Amino acid sequence: MLEIFFGEYKGENYIPNPDIYFDNQHEDEWMEEMLTKQMVSDIDKSKVIGPHLIDSPFLGPIPPERLSGGVKTLIMIDHDYEHVFNASACGDNCAKWLLKICETEDRLVRLGYIMNFGDNKFTIKINNTGKIVHSMSELMDELIDHDLFPYFFRVPSLHSSRSHHMDRGRLPYPCPLSPCTL
Amino acid sequence: MVGKYRIEVNNKYTKYFLTVQRNFTILQGNSATGKTELIRLLSQYEENGEASGVHVSCDVPVHVLRGRFWEEDIEHFHNSIIFLDESEQYAKTKEFAETAQKNDNYFFIVNRDPLHELSYSINEIYTFRNAAASQKYHEDFRVYNEMVPLNNSLISKYLSETAIRKIARQMPSEILPEEYKNA
């Protein structure tokens, strides 16, 4: 099952930069596994030729180190259960693969943004509260009910003494209720 | 620093079209859209100039800020556009915000996490739209990357009306749309 910690994770086994960690820790054999090849194909639109060579339609022939941060993070999550990886390195297009990896493995990851896991039912445990959710609506409700939601949309404190810079009349920070988000 | 600046970055295979017009521009979006590759190309250009094989076109200097000596490095940059990758964890700190906000540079930051300490407009959050070589550009690159506004409404559709009103009650009234002020 996928378990997510939302916010700033402080554990000693936390890897904030999985991109660099992959460059220095991945195993050659991981690159030849079916799931790895599927993820590289889907996310990077590239083909794994061998453990040291990927054929990218955009970058040409590249080593694994030039893969996207998202797919590198997924490969590390799939193989390294001792560390908690920063899944903010993964975009929304990695969400289905994160769920797939955790169909057969339990993994805890950290997220600093609300990844879109889509409209289909899923099973995710929110580490901050212990609740298991099965849809994006449930996930959002749980974050709101436990005051985790403001972390993602920067609700300022009413008592903040910090002055807010108004950029030509626009809001100084993303507002979830602004016209471009609803 | 004021004004709008266009930046074009390319090597033999990839071309980027960027526009920067505010103190802070945020780049987010899906994986494998070319965000890290952009920073890599700019870093190579900054180290080796045109001899890197990377071409950068902009009316002001362009720099990449990396590593833990960012405070010292930033003092050397003026009236420039400074790029930061998501690996630069200090971008979330109060120290960086204080330095950047009283700075005379523009900042272009690749990061999916909210940067609470920075004041930036929701209209300055972008993603890349990739296009394979096409007749639009009449040039022979494998891929073109254009900045387009990021559509955040994909997440908002999952908010129930109850959830929206709960959020509205937590926010200062001066930033609320009119219909939520009595939530």
Side-chain angles (χ1 to χ4, degrees), chain B residues 5-168:
Chain B
Y5 297 91
R6 278 191 61 86
I7 311 166
E8 291 186 15
V9 183
N10 71 271
N11 61 6
K12 186 176 178 180
Y13 312 107
T14 311
K15 186 158 189 171
Y16 292 85
F17 300 94
L18 314 173
T19 303
V20 177
Q21 55 192 349
R22 297 276 186 271
N23 287 10
F24 302 105
T25 302
I26 310 298
L27 188 67
Q28 298 178 344
N30 279 341
S31 290
T33 51
K35 301 184 293 298
T36 300
E37 180 69 7
L38 169 67
I39 303 297
R40 192 184 75 87
L41 293 179
L42 289 171
S43 295
Q44 290 181 341
Y45 180 82
E46 189 163 27
E47 290 293 320
N48 300 288
E50 292 283 333
S52 62
V54 178
H55 178 70
V56 176
S57 171
C58 183
D59 290 339
V60 298
V62 171
H63 299 288
V64 176
L65 199 62
R66 328 195 76 133
R68 53 198 175 98
F69 301 111
W70 62 270
E71 284 178 286
E72 297 165 26
D73 291 342
I74 211 171
E75 288 178 6
H76 300 292
F77 304 146
H78 297 284
N79 295 310
S80 306
I81 298 171
I82 300 177
F83 285 74
L84 283 80
D85 196 13
E86 58 191 342
S87 60
E88 307 301 325
Q89 298 291 315
Y90 56 77
K92 298 181 187 178
T93 65
K94 193 174 178 182
E95 290 73 24
F96 175 78
E98 287 174 348
T99 302
Q101 277 162 179
K102 62 185 179 191
N103 204 267
D104 58 359
N105 298 294
Y106 280 179
F107 291 87
F108 189 105
I109 305 174
V110 178
N111 207 308
R112 292 190 182 89
D113 288 1
L115 301 171
H116 293 282
E117 300 294 337
L118 297 178
S119 293
Y120 56 89
S121 167
I122 194 171
N123 295 314
E124 297 309 315
I125 303 176
Y126 295 89
T127 187
F128 275 146
R129 177 172 60 198
N130 306 135
S134 71
Q135 294 180 356
K136 178 180 176 183
Y137 296 106
H138 304 288
E139 293 174 280
D140 190 18
F141 293 99
R142 287 200 187 119
V143 65
Y144 301 82
N145 299 290
E146 287 181 305
M147 275 170 64
V148 294
L150 181 66
N151 179 8
N152 281 315
S153 63
L154 294 172
I155 283 294
S156 295
K157 76 174 185 177
Y158 299 114
L159 286 171
S160 62
E161 189 64 28
T162 307
I164 291 173
R165 295 195 180 280
K166 273 187 190 174
I167 297 169

Side-chain angles (χ1 to χ4, degrees), chain A residues 42-87:
Chain A
D42 181 50
I43 296 167
D44 286 38
K45 310 300 183 212
S46 301
K47 182 178 178 182
V48 176
I49 306 298
H52 305 288
L53 180 63
I54 289 102
D55 186 17
S56 164
F58 310 118
L59 305 176
I62 57 171
E65 290 78 8
R66 291 277 301 278
L67 288 168
S68 68
V71 85
K72 287 189 203 178
T73 302
L74 288 172
I75 294 169
M76 291 310 306
I77 291 171
D78 185 26
H79 293 92
D80 182 336
Y81 54 87
E82 293 181 344
H83 294 92
V84 176
F85 291 96
N86 179 13

